[in-house]
């Protein structure tokens, strides 16, 4: 176990990678109110059609493609609502600003875009002030 | 360059005439609340894309119409927010690639690789598209009301491709996830080397590809087909056949667990 209390397994666990956990992974009431149709483009759930409840290290989990990591769901999922709850957890995570993949935009975006992507209204834009990295002594030899 | 509005500047290309290194938004759109419209006839590809980004990211516009896109290549790429974009005309190749969130309507035709790598959103094409439509699609709906060329949804990893007409050879080649609904006929080698996903075909099939097999339709398939045809107002063929991976090419057990995860 690490100093954070997480496992040292080679899994791709979003909490272990970030070094912290999030309340919406432990409390279903924090995700149950998410309107999946409103959260996605078009008249149905669009890209969330491909999101299903999976399992990581024997724990129910949803895959976050923006971080390439699993979000483990620690609360009990009502039978028959597995995929729905997985989608609501993922949307809550993406809107929260905790998604590590999205947080990289602040530093690495090369053109203007919403930091939190298309799921959060009023997200700040990033990428206006990107400059190419330079190497010290490049071309001076 | 003539025909540009206040603040607009002509496109400046590099010495090869290929790249505009320092493009600025031409500021030509007429903005009316959350809607905007501009004419792309006299603008370069990067100027059109820069104007689109200015409108949806900085001006609070959520509904943009681009007149006279002129079949230019790579228009509407990399838009990463919820908005509606209407191209009143045809696009060239790689139209609306790499998007995440927009709902795009294209009145005309599109060249190769429309909506390639779309993460989420909706792209509706009024007429035909070239080959590689929806290449590496990750999510969202790509709807083509006409016919499509070869290798539709090559390397598709999610999302739904709905084709109102017929599709060419190697449709669904190396498909890994997602759904394809082809109302008309399909060419040779349907679903060749597909690993997962589902292909529904309403017309005739010239031949199946390696490891593509027919499967039974179930209630979930019927719900999906009814829903997509209702949303996009297309005529639904009377019957569909369903094709999936036969899993004869599966060798995942020999892969490292981390490699297995990369294909999700």
């Amino acid at each position: 176990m690490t100093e954070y209390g997480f496992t040292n397994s080679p899994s791709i666990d979003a909490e272990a990678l970030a070094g912290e956990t999030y309340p919406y992974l432990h409390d279903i009431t924090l995700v149950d109110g998410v309107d999946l149709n409103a959260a996605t483009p078009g008249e149905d759930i669009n890209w969330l059609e491909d999101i299903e409840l999976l399992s990581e290290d024997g724990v129910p989990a949803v895959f976050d493609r923006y971080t390439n990591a699993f979000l483990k769901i620690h609360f009990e999922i009502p039978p028959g609502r597995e995929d729905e709850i997985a989608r609501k957890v993922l949307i809550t995570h993406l809107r929260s600003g905790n998604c590590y993949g999205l947080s990289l935009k602040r530093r690495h975006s090369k053109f203007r875009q919403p930091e939190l992507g298309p799921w959060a209204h009023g997200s700040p834009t990033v990428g206006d002030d990107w400059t190419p990295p330079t190497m010290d002594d490049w071309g001076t030899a | 360059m003539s025909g540009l509005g206040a603040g607009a500047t002509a496109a400046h290309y590099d010495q090869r005439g290929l790249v505009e290194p320092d493009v600025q938004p031409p500021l030509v759109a007429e903005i009316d609340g959350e809607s905007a419209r501009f004419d792309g006839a006299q603008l370069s590809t990067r100027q059109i894309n820069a104007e689109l980004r200015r409108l949806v990211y900085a001006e609070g516009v959520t509904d943009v119409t681009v007149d006279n896109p002129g079949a230019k290549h790579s228009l509407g790429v990399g838009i990463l927010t919820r908005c509606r974009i209407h191209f009143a005309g045809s696009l060239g190749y790689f139209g609306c690639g790499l998007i995440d969130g927009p709902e795009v309507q294209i009145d005309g035709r599109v060249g190769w690789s429309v909506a390639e790598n779309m993460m989420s959103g909706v792209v509706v094409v009024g007429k035909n598209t070239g080959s590689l439509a929806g290449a590496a699609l990750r999510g969202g709906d790509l709807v083509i009301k006409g016919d499509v060329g070869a290798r539709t949804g090559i390397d598709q990893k999610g999302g739904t491709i709905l084709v109102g007409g017929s599709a060419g050879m190697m449709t669904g080649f190396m498909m890994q996830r997602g759904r394809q609904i082809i109302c008309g006929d399909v060419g040779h080698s349907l679903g060749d080397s597909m690993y997962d996903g589902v292909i529904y075909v309403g017309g005739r099939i010239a031949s199946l590809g390696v490891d593509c097999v027919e499967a039974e339709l179930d209630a979930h398939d019927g719900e999906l087909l009814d829903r997509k045809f209702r949303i996009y107002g297309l005529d639904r063929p009377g019957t569909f056949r369903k094709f999936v991976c036969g899993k004869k090419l599966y060798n995942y057990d020999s892969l490292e667990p981390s490699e297995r995860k990369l294909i999700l």
Side-chain angles (χ1 to χ4, degrees), chain A:
Chain A
M1 301 288 280
T2 69
E3 61 182 299
Y4 302 105
F6 300 114
T7 171
N8 275 322
S9 78
S11 66
I12 44 176
D13 177 340
E15 296 164 277
L17 292 171
E20 58 181 324
T21 189
Y22 309 110
Y24 44 82
L25 301 179
H26 300 267
D27 184 353
I28 191 172
T29 64
L30 298 178
V31 303
D32 215 10
V34 172
D35 183 342
L36 295 178
N37 277 324
T40 48
E43 295 183 30
D44 58 8
I45 59 170
N46 200 256
W47 71 282
L48 293 180
E49 189 120 24
D50 293 296
I51 302 299
E52 301 168 343
L53 184 70
L54 301 171
S55 174
E56 176 73 348
D57 296 334
V59 177
V62 60
F63 189 71
D64 172 14
R65 67 188 188 185
Y66 294 91
T67 307
N68 203 37
F70 282 100
L71 289 162
K72 290 178 180 170
I73 300 173
H74 302 292
F75 55 77
E76 190 171 341
I77 299 173
R81 297 182 62 196
E82 290 84 359
D83 293 344
E84 174 203 341
I85 294 298
R87 292 161 182 162
K88 288 181 173 180
V89 167
L90 179 58
I91 288 292
T92 304
H93 182 64
L94 293 173
R95 284 174 166 172
S96 70
N98 294 326
C99 176
Y100 179 68
L102 297 184
S103 70
L104 294 175
K105 287 184 177 183
R106 215 169 295 143
R107 180 171 180 184
H108 297 292
S109 293
K110 293 181 179 177
F111 57 87
R112 178 183 282 183
Q113 59 192 282
E115 181 181 15
L116 298 182
W119 311 278
H121 294 294
S123 167
T125 55
V126 294
D128 285 322
D129 53 358
W130 181 84
T131 54
T134 56
M135 295 175 64
D136 292 341
D137 302 327
W138 178 257
T140 58

Side-chain angles (χ1 to χ4, degrees), chain B residues 39-117:
Chain B
D39 190 335
Q42 301 297 324
L43 303 178
S44 67
T45 294
R46 288 204 69 194
Q47 285 177 319
I48 292 174
N49 285 333
E51 187 74 345
L52 275 173
R53 286 184 190 149
R54 176 182 79 89
L55 294 168
V56 299
Y57 294 153
E59 301 292 343
V61 169
T62 57
D63 196 329
V64 185
T65 297
V66 182
D67 293 313
N68 300 308
K72 294 184 178 75
H73 305 312
S74 305
L75 292 188
V77 298
I79 303 292
L80 307 176
T81 190
R82 295 279 297 278
C83 62
R84 293 178 186 273
I85 301 173
H86 174 202
F87 288 103
S90 295
L91 306 187
Y93 52 61
F94 290 96
C96 304
L98 301 161
I99 60 173
D100 198 356
E103 296 171 45
V104 184
Q105 176 191 337
I106 302 161
D107 289 347
R109 294 173 288 272
V110 188
W112 317 321
S113 300
V114 58
E116 61 88 24
N117 244 306

Side-chain angles (χ1 to χ4, degrees), chain B residues 25-245:
Chain B
L27 311 175
V28 294
E30 293 178 9
I31 300 175
D32 180 11
E34 294 186 346
S35 299
R37 184 173 204 124
F38 67 95
D39 190 335
Q42 301 297 324
L43 303 178
S44 67
T45 294
R46 288 204 69 194
Q47 285 177 319
I48 292 174
N49 285 333
E51 187 74 345
L52 275 173
R53 286 184 190 149
R54 176 182 79 89
L55 294 168
V56 299
Y57 294 153
E59 301 292 343
V61 169
T62 57
D63 196 329
V64 185
T65 297
V66 182
D67 293 313
N68 300 308
K72 294 184 178 75
H73 305 312
S74 305
L75 292 188
V77 298
I79 303 292
L80 307 176
T81 190
R82 295 279 297 278
C83 62
R84 293 178 186 273
I85 301 173
H86 174 202
F87 288 103
S90 295
L91 306 187
Y93 52 61
F94 290 96
C96 304
L98 301 161
I99 60 173
D100 198 356
E103 296 171 45
V104 184
Q105 176 191 337
I106 302 161
D107 289 347
R109 294 173 288 272
V110 188
W112 317 321
S113 300
V114 58
E116 61 88 24
N117 244 306
M118 174 165 66
M119 299 292 280
S120 72
V122 177
V123 175
V124 179
V125 182
K127 296 181 180 174
N128 302 336
T129 73
S131 296
L132 305 164
L137 192 78
R138 295 292 301 267
D141 288 357
L142 169 59
V143 181
I144 297 136
K145 295 187 175 178
D147 299 327
V148 295
R151 296 184 177 83
T152 298
I154 181 174
D155 202 23
Q156 182 179 346
K157 299 178 180 73
T160 303
I161 299 175
L162 172 52
V163 178
S166 295
M169 60 179 277
M170 302 194 87
T171 296
F173 181 44
M174 295 196 299
M175 183 178 184
Q176 296 170 44
R177 240 183 157 204
R179 297 149 297 279
Q180 294 193 17
I181 306 167
I182 314 293
C183 295
D185 302 336
V186 293
H188 284 287
S189 298
L190 173 71
D192 190 273
S193 303
M194 65 189 292
Y195 281 85
D196 207 336
V198 182
I199 305 174
Y200 305 96
V201 181
R204 294 169 299 175
I205 298 143
S207 67
L208 297 181
V210 174
D211 210 20
C212 178
V213 299
E214 187 161 7
E216 293 288 325
L217 287 153
D218 59 23
H220 175 75
D221 300 314
E223 186 279 326
L224 173 86
L225 292 166
D226 289 343
R227 172 159 46 93
K228 293 300 181 186
F229 279 98
R230 174 179 53 76
I231 289 174
Y232 297 108
L234 290 175
D235 292 332
R236 189 188 192 285
T239 58
F240 272 103
R241 297 170 68 187
K242 174 182 175 181
F243 297 90
V244 298
C245 174

